[in-house]
């Protein structure tokens, strides 16, 4: 088959594991990309007692990418595709690691503080805010950094945000807010008739994500490179839980 066209990480939703996005991984592998499936911290076979809604998970993913780089397994440009919790994490990771060259985020939340009240509609807003602060203290992370809408301003990577118009769990306005913050490097695709669960299997998600990564991860043609120009990037490694990853192919 030859060398992969690039490397794409696949990130699952909350209370799930990497098997949730195996179909996406196979689709991208069939399209010629190396697909990396990761159990995010506190999920599947990965360790970790606290979920940080993308903040510490981004550091974990940087360590996974470092390890793959050291082994020569991260081939070409690197992209990331995630669902819901994983979609938010994907954008946050791109905001801290300049090696991420393209993102597809399916049904992300705009921020932890924006999404949490929707899951506790009967509780006073002040109680929910206090609970988030306590969770951040206990979990060792800043809840205000759990914000794709903030993180997207810190990356130049092109970000495709896809959301079902009938999503009652995380309403589409979350994605609209993210794309508004992303400006000209963010693109929004709203899918009629799809909800938070059904969007995973929507044909348009598979088609557009494969096209997005082909456009932004495929190696540039020699004629497109300036003489003497090369790309280089790096990332700072921070402490994290052990993340379990699988590669396809």
């Amino acid at each position: 088959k030859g060398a992969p066209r690039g490397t794409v990480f696949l990130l699952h939703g909350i209370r799930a594991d990497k098997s949730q996005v195996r179909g996406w991984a196979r689709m991208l592998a069939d399209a010629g990309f190396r697909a990396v499936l990761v159990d995010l911290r506190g999920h599947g076979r990965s360790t970790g007692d606290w979920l940080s809604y993308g903040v510490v998970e981004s550091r974990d993913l940087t360590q996974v990418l470092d390890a793959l780089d050291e082994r020569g397994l991260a081939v070409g440009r690197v992209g990331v595709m995630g669902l819901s919790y994983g979609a938010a994490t994907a954008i946050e990771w791109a905001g801290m690691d300049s090696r991420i060259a393209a993102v597809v985020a399916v049904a992300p939340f705009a921020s932890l503080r924006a999404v949490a009240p929707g899951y506790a509609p009967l509780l006073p807003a002040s109680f929910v805010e206090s609970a988030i602060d306590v969770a951040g203290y206990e979990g060792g992370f800043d809840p205000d950094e759990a914000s794709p809408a903030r993180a997207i301003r810190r990356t130049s990577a092109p970000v495709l945000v896809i959301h079902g118009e009938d999503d009652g769990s995380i309403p589409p306005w979350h994605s609209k807010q993210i794309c508004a913050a992303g400006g000209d490097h963010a693109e929004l695709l709203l899918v009629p008739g799809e909800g938070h669960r059904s969007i995973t299997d929507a044909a348009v998600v598979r088609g557009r994500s494969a096209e997005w990564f082909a456009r932004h991860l495929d190696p540039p043609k020699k004629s497109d490179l300036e003489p003497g120009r090369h790309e280089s990037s790096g990332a700072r490694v921070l402490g994290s839980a052990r993340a379990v990853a699988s590669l396809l192919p």
Side-chain angles (χ1 to χ4, degrees):
K1 292 184 178 180
R5 301 165 69 178
T7 300
V8 181
F9 282 70
L10 285 303
L11 309 181
H12 59 79
I14 198 167
R15 294 189 296 274
D17 60 28
K18 60 189 178 184
S19 66
Q20 184 184 44
V21 290
R22 190 173 297 276
W24 288 354
R26 177 53 61 191
M27 172 268 297
L28 290 169
D30 289 344
F33 296 98
R34 171 154 291 167
V36 181
L37 298 91
V38 181
D39 281 334
L40 296 171
R41 65 166 42 224
H43 295 83
R45 295 170 55 204
S46 289
T47 61
D49 297 325
W50 293 92
L51 308 185
S52 66
Y53 288 76
V55 180
V56 183
E57 288 82 357
S58 295
R59 303 170 191 168
D60 296 340
L61 290 165
T62 284
Q63 287 192 322
V64 174
L65 180 52
D66 288 342
L68 294 179
D69 270 337
E70 290 173 2
R71 293 163 175 78
L73 296 174
V75 181
R77 292 174 173 171
V78 178
V80 57
M81 179 177 183
L83 172 66
S84 189
Y85 184 90
T89 299
I91 298 172
E92 291 177 45
W93 184 27
M96 69 157 289
D97 195 326
S98 62
R99 292 174 292 182
I100 305 306
V103 179
V104 175
V106 182
F109 55 79
S111 70
L112 172 56
R113 293 196 186 276
V115 75
Y119 287 95
L122 300 181
L123 296 177
S126 59
F127 179 87
V128 175
E129 285 292 312
S130 295
I132 292 172
D133 291 336
V134 170
Y137 176 79
E138 295 290 341
F141 71 98
D142 180 357
D144 292 325
E145 288 302 311
S147 173
R150 177 182 292 187
I152 199 171
R153 298 188 179 100
R154 298 195 293 265
T155 180
S156 59
V159 180
L160 173 63
V161 183
I162 305 175
H163 217 114
E165 288 187 344
D166 295 343
D167 193 330
S169 299
I170 301 178
W173 64 260
H174 284 268
S175 284
K176 293 178 181 179
Q177 188 177 110
I178 292 169
C179 286
D184 59 5
H185 69 280
E187 182 175 319
L188 176 62
L189 173 62
L190 296 177
V191 185
E194 299 294 350
H196 198 69
R197 294 183 181 277
S198 66
I199 192 71
T200 307
D201 298 319
V204 66
V205 172
R206 294 172 181 252
R208 285 298 304 274
S209 59
E211 184 275 333
W212 191 259
F213 289 126
R215 187 195 314 174
H216 297 293
L217 297 187
D218 272 350
K221 298 177 181 178
K222 291 184 179 180
S223 59
D224 295 334
L225 294 176
E226 298 175 10
R229 183 178 179 180
H230 65 280
E231 296 181 3
S232 63
S233 60
R236 186 179 171 201
V237 179
L238 301 174
S240 67
R242 178 178 61 88
V244 176
S246 302
L247 277 68
L248 290 176

